[in-house]
Amino acid sequence: MSVATTETPAHQVGLTETAREKVHSLLAQEGRDDLRLRIAVQPGGCSGLIYQLYFDERTLDNDAIVDFSGVEVVVDQMSVPYLAGATIDFSDTIEKQGFTIDNPNAQGSCACGDSFS
């Protein structure tokens, strides 16, 4: 008798080395090794959709997870189609500091850059 195993689905979101290092250092500062970086798309913003990027200790059924050398990036099932091919990066310049998302699926964005369609 064989036991059926379910494989966690993967997503097509990329994480640059700079972003991976930043996430790793933030988790080390928190002293936590049970957190994952979750990216989701939610309705809202002036263009229709907004990104949610945060640390999460839980996983949900049908979450898509990819491990980037010790940093797990989680995408919920509903957000996967909106984020396929997107890349998470981290900028630390005079002009901008923080995580950025380059999403080829975004057809337009608002002036503030916080939402997309």
Side-chain angles (χ1 to χ4, degrees), residues 2-3 14 20 23 30 38 45 48-49 63 65 67 99 101 106:
S2 65
V3 176
R20 188 194 70 76
V23 170
E30 290 292 319
R38 181 176 289 278
L49 298 169
D63 273 347
I65 304 171
D67 187 299
F99 289 97
I101 300 165

Side-chain angles (χ1 to χ4, degrees), residues 6 8 19 21 24 34 36 45 52 74 77 83 86 93 110:
T6 58
T8 302
E21 289 171 1
H24 204 336
D34 62 332
R36 296 154 193 85
Q52 299 284 316
V74 180
Q77 181 181 16
L83 296 169
T93 65
C110 62

Side-chain angles (χ1 to χ4, degrees), residues 42-50 110 112 114-116:
Q42 301 288 324
C46 48
S47 291
L49 298 169
I50 57 171
C110 62
C112 64
D114 290 336
S115 70
F116 70 100

